[in-house]
Amino acid sequence: MPSNYSGQKCEGVNIFVVERNTLDTGELGIELASALHKLYPEQYHMDRMIELLGNQSVYDAIASGQDPRRIADDWRVPLEKFLQVRQKYLIYK
């Protein structure tokens, strides 16, 4: 099945990660989604984001234009709690 943009010139961004242990991929995704929504509200299809996010509150925060850093901060405490619980189940530490 051909791409929606097959045969068209598409601009993009190439990101090289040099310190993978310090990269917060979730926060990067929120920053990118927020920037695209703000810069290209007509072209960026937010309705497709919910499938990727799987989190309605994050989707709503991006759609309403909240600060991406604030959105990421909202999941810090639950994430830390999860990581603590997960620790005892890890085989390799």
Side-chain angles (χ1 to χ4, degrees):
M1 181 173 176
S3 167
N4 292 343
Y5 301 101
S6 180
Q8 297 180 38
K9 180 181 177 180
C10 296
E11 308 269 339
V13 175
N14 195 7
I15 299 173
F16 291 93
V17 177
V18 293
E19 290 289 335
R20 73 177 185 163
N21 293 329
T22 60
L23 175 65
D24 186 332
T25 55
E27 192 168 341
L28 175 62
I30 298 303
E31 289 279 358
L32 290 173
S34 295
L36 290 170
H37 178 61
K38 182 178 180 179
L39 295 171
Y40 306 102
E42 299 300 318
Q43 297 90 349
Y44 187 64
H45 302 285
M46 278 293 295
D47 55 323
R48 297 179 185 168
M49 277 294 297
I50 192 62
E51 296 170 19
L52 296 171
L53 289 170
N55 185 308
Q56 187 68 46
S57 63
V58 172
Y59 174 86
D60 293 341
I62 294 170
S64 68
Q66 289 185 26
D67 182 341
R69 284 177 228 108
R70 171 78 172 113
I71 297 169
D73 284 343
D74 286 345
W75 72 61
R76 297 257 184 256
V77 172
L79 177 60
E80 288 172 9
K81 288 179 182 178
F82 166 77
L83 292 174
Q84 288 174 358
V85 170
R86 181 188 79 144
Q87 190 66 29
K88 66 182 175 185
Y89 298 103
L90 294 177
I91 296 172
Y92 303 104
K93 297 180 184 187

